[in-house]
Amino acid sequence: MAELKMEEFRRQLKQGEPGRCYLLYGKERYLLEHYARELRRAVLGADDDPFNLRVLEGKSLSMQELADAVDAYPSFAERTLVEVRDYELFAGPEEETKRLISLLSDVPEHCCLLFLFDALEFKQDKRKKQLVQALRDYVGVVEFPLQGQGELTRWVQKHFAARGKEISPEDAAYLLFLCGSEMENLANEIGKIA
């Protein structure tokens, strides 16, 4: 899959065609969490089926635990979602790296594996060439960078409109000046104002 643009990832989710493996990272946490929720809905349905969602913490995760979660069959559904938060892909010993590459190359059709980098920063270690190649070949890697002034202005206007309110581009830009460009903070402020 390799590096995916946000628009392509959004299209896959809207069409109900999520792939088997994704890695989401970036500085814009609002978008990161938003699209993680959208992926959950696309895979599990609107109610985030708790029977088929497995959330694993990367710090204490063993490769066997991950493999077991990925191989587990869904309960009364088509697919499972295995969400791994802040797993240091490149930090493990060579044997674990080989097992990880093997797992990435053979994620079953009934599973969607999601690596989510929330607290940790995602960095590729180019010295582990086989793992870098496996990420290119089997994982949809989506970055959520901080948004620019133009995107944020349109986003602010869209969120006011969703609440039945209107804001001019100039006032939206002034709101950005006052509150900064973090979308999570802006969403809170839009809620207060609207």
Side-chain angles (χ1 to χ4, degrees):
M1 275 190 186
E3 191 78 28
L4 272 180
K5 299 283 185 200
M6 238 188 327
E7 295 78 27
E8 175 63 18
F9 182 54
R10 185 181 310 137
R11 185 195 62 73
Q12 289 178 6
L13 297 180
K14 279 188 178 182
Q15 292 180 346
E17 301 172 354
R20 293 186 194 177
C21 192
Y22 292 99
L23 186 151
L24 307 182
Y25 74 102
K27 293 185 178 185
E28 186 50 75
R29 292 191 56 190
Y30 179 88
L31 289 176
L32 184 75
E33 290 296 334
H34 172 76
Y35 281 104
R37 281 191 307 276
E38 291 297 315
L39 180 60
R40 279 187 219 110
R41 280 192 200 107
V43 173
L44 302 174
D47 58 351
D48 285 352
D49 179 10
F51 293 111
N52 295 305
L53 173 64
R54 290 158 184 85
V55 179
L56 307 171
E57 289 300 322
K59 290 180 183 177
S60 60
L61 184 63
S62 72
M63 195 50 56
Q64 187 59 50
E65 184 181 3
L66 179 58
D68 291 344
V70 167
D71 289 336
Y73 283 96
S75 300
F76 305 106
E78 289 184 34
R79 298 183 80 186
T80 61
L81 177 68
V82 177
E83 184 177 307
V84 182
R85 289 187 168 263
D86 296 318
Y87 180 68
E88 295 191 47
L89 294 166
F90 294 91
E94 192 62 35
E95 188 59 36
E96 272 199 22
T97 300
K98 287 179 184 176
R99 288 186 70 192
L100 179 60
I101 292 168
S102 175
L103 186 134
L104 293 175
S105 69
D106 195 27
V107 174
E109 285 187 33
H110 67 262
C111 181
C112 180
L113 175 59
L114 169 62
F115 291 98
L116 191 64
F117 284 84
D118 184 13
L120 288 180
E121 185 178 346
F122 171 67
K123 293 181 187 175
Q124 291 192 35
D125 184 347
K126 303 289 184 184
R127 296 173 295 176
K128 293 196 174 189
K129 293 178 183 177
Q130 290 178 320
L131 182 53
V132 171
Q133 188 62 46
L135 290 175
R136 275 194 210 117
D137 292 344
Y138 308 115
V139 180
V141 179
V142 185
E143 180 181 10
F144 297 97
L146 293 174
Q147 301 297 292
Q149 180 85 16
E151 290 105 357
L152 284 173
T153 301
R154 287 186 295 279
W155 182 84
V156 166
Q157 288 181 295
K158 180 179 153 190
H159 276 72
F160 269 102
R163 295 171 186 267
K165 307 293 180 192
E166 192 175 311
I167 187 170
S168 70
E170 295 80 18
D171 288 341
Y174 185 63
L175 180 66
L176 294 173
F177 172 74
L178 291 175
C179 299
S181 60
E182 278 189 30
M183 293 173 95
E184 195 167 341
N185 185 39
L186 285 168
N188 291 333
E189 295 303 319
I190 290 168
K192 291 176 193 174
I193 295 167

